[in-house]
Amino acid sequence: MKNKEILETGSRDGIDREIKEEIKEIKQMLRDLLEPRINNAKYIKLVENGVPPWIAKKILDTGREVVDYIETQVRKKGGVPNSKCRIFVGDSGSGKTTSVFKLAVWYKMNKNAKVMVLSFDNYKIGAKFQSERIADLLELDFANVDMQDFKEIIPIFKNYDYILVDTPGLDKRFIVEDLEELFLVYPSVRFQWVVKATEHYSYLLKLWENIKRLPVESIFLTFTDKVKNSLPLLWLLEDEVPPVTFISTGERLPEDI
């Protein structure tokens, strides 16, 4: 009788182990089946909230939360030097002229720097008068020049800590090839891309494709006070896109940088 009980107990233990293994396999099968749906649901939620689709995919692939992904990418980009001579480029209406003067005043007040502002904008009606008046009010050295004259004034750059150059919007009259010529004339020049935060990322990425062959050092992000949802701005975390070094949050000089 005792041997029979032992056999029956051993048989039950074996069955229990088999059942546990089967349950374990079923659970794993369910996880495998449900995981793509879970990821798909997370992806849809990220995109619905405004995250660019390819960034949403990267976030899921890394297994990080959105905040962790942002922090990692920002650290990865690091900082950049504020080069002495920077040419501000971007679309019409992105805030190039305002950004140039804001940064000039910021350098003057916070770094006690001597700054010169130049402008190549000879296309827009009234642009020269407007810039001259702003420079006068802010007590900044200013000159409106043609790109052909740029080479001739390079010797005076040694008298300044920073040279900030305003440009007209990129279009058929003012093209990237013109900017490449400037770089050949003065190889130490760098470019600052002025990006309007409210523009759609698909449009801005097309513009980036057009200017990325230039030595673009960093991004000056404008109109951030008009942004209602900041998640679409995560396109700025792309590896090949320059880091954001300055952000404009309003219209005050220079408190809003």
Side-chain angles (χ1 to χ4, degrees):
M1 178 68 71
K2 190 172 181 180
N3 290 337
K4 183 178 179 183
E5 289 177 354
I6 292 172
L7 289 172
E8 288 178 350
T9 300
S11 178
R12 283 198 302 273
D13 290 342
I15 292 172
D16 288 343
R17 282 195 296 273
E18 289 181 10
I19 292 173
K20 288 179 180 179
E21 286 298 320
E22 288 181 1
I23 291 174
K24 186 177 179 181
E25 289 178 7
I26 291 170
K27 285 182 176 179
Q28 185 60 48
M29 289 172 63
L30 288 172
R31 278 196 292 268
D32 293 340
L33 288 170
L34 293 174
E35 184 64 25
R37 294 183 184 179
I38 293 172
N39 282 340
N40 188 50
K42 290 181 179 177
Y43 171 81
I44 292 173
K45 185 176 180 180
L46 287 171
V47 174
E48 284 180 344
N49 287 333
V51 178
W54 74 96
I55 297 293
K57 186 176 185 305
K58 288 182 179 181
I59 292 172
L60 292 179
D61 289 343
T62 59
R64 296 177 179 273
E65 294 298 323
V66 175
V67 174
D68 291 337
Y69 179 81
I70 293 172
E71 290 178 349
T72 300
Q73 289 301 106
V74 169
R75 285 196 298 270
K76 186 177 178 181
K77 282 183 176 292
V80 296
N82 291 307
S83 296
K84 177 174 182 172
C85 182
R86 263 168 292 155
I87 297 177
F88 285 59
V89 297
D91 240 359
S92 296
S94 60
K96 291 186 300 300
T97 302
T98 304
S99 298
V100 166
F101 280 107
K102 282 181 179 180
L103 191 55
V105 175
W106 188 86
Y107 280 138
K108 182 180 177 180
M109 294 181 64
N110 291 279
K111 294 183 176 290
N112 196 29
K114 191 172 183 182
V115 186
M116 167 168 262
V117 175
L118 299 177
S119 177
F120 292 149
D121 194 352
N122 296 311
Y123 301 102
K124 188 168 60 178
I125 297 174
K128 180 180 178 181
F129 173 76
Q130 180 187 20
S131 295
E132 287 177 342
R133 187 163 180 238
I134 294 173
D136 186 52
L137 289 171
L138 299 176
E139 298 182 345
L140 292 168
D141 289 348
F142 172 80
N144 193 284
V145 297
D146 293 321
M147 286 190 294
Q148 291 77 7
D149 301 328
F150 185 75
K151 187 175 182 179
E152 297 178 11
I153 65 173
I154 287 176
I156 71 171
F157 289 1
K158 64 184 179 182
N159 300 323
Y160 295 90
D161 299 304
Y162 295 101
I163 311 294
L164 305 180
V165 186
D166 187 21
T167 63
L170 291 169
D171 58 22
K172 294 179 180 178
R173 296 174 300 177
F174 188 75
I175 57 178
V176 174
E177 284 72 18
D178 294 328
L179 298 171
E180 287 180 312
E181 289 181 16
L182 289 176
F183 177 63
L184 294 175
V185 168
Y186 191 55
S188 62
V189 73
R190 292 296 179 265
F191 294 85
Q192 184 127 30
W193 183 21
V194 181
V195 172
K196 191 174 182 179
T198 54
E199 289 282 7
H200 196 272
Y201 55 76
S202 61
Y203 173 78
L204 291 168
L205 285 171
K206 288 180 181 178
L207 183 56
W208 169 243
E209 286 297 317
N210 190 33
I211 66 172
K212 69 179 183 181
R213 61 181 184 266
L214 298 170
V216 180
E217 182 175 83
S218 58
I219 289 174
F220 195 121
L221 194 62
T222 60
F223 292 91
T224 57
D225 54 315
K226 306 298 182 183
V227 173
K228 296 180 180 180
N229 178 10
S230 60
L231 289 177
L233 291 173
L234 293 188
W235 70 272
L236 292 165
L237 299 178
E238 275 292 278
D239 291 336
E240 68 166 10
V241 175
V244 176
T245 52
F246 293 98
I247 295 175
S248 177
T249 59
E251 299 179 355
R252 293 182 300 164
L253 286 168
E255 295 88 346
D256 70 336
I257 293 180

